[in-house]
Amino acid sequence: MGAIANDEMITAKDGQQHSWKSIKLLIATLIVSTLGDGFCGVMMAVALPNISETYHVSIA
């Protein structure tokens, strides 16, 4: 199996054609957004006790 050129088009099941460049960009976007989501979740978990204390609400 040879190397796939960046300008080669891939045909999806519905007949649409996509380039390898757009597929790589989509995968990179998914990876970055997944890491960002995890980071935001950790920030909220750390900040939640201070927020609940400031506004006098229970975490539950």
Side-chain angles (χ1 to χ4, degrees):
M1 192 159 119
I4 298 173
N6 279 340
D7 58 350
E8 186 176 331
M9 299 299 282
I10 303 300
T11 304
K13 288 183 180 180
D14 61 0
Q16 291 184 358
Q17 290 198 345
H18 305 281
S19 68
W20 277 108
K21 184 177 180 180
S22 67
I23 293 171
K24 289 177 186 177
L25 183 61
L26 175 64
I27 291 172
T29 302
L30 290 172
I31 290 170
V32 169
S33 63
T34 300
L35 293 174
D37 180 49
F39 182 68
C40 288
V42 169
M43 285 193 312
M44 281 305 296
V46 170
L48 198 54
N50 287 339
I51 293 170
S52 67
E53 184 180 314
T54 300
Y55 293 107
H56 308 291
V57 294
S58 68
I59 294 177

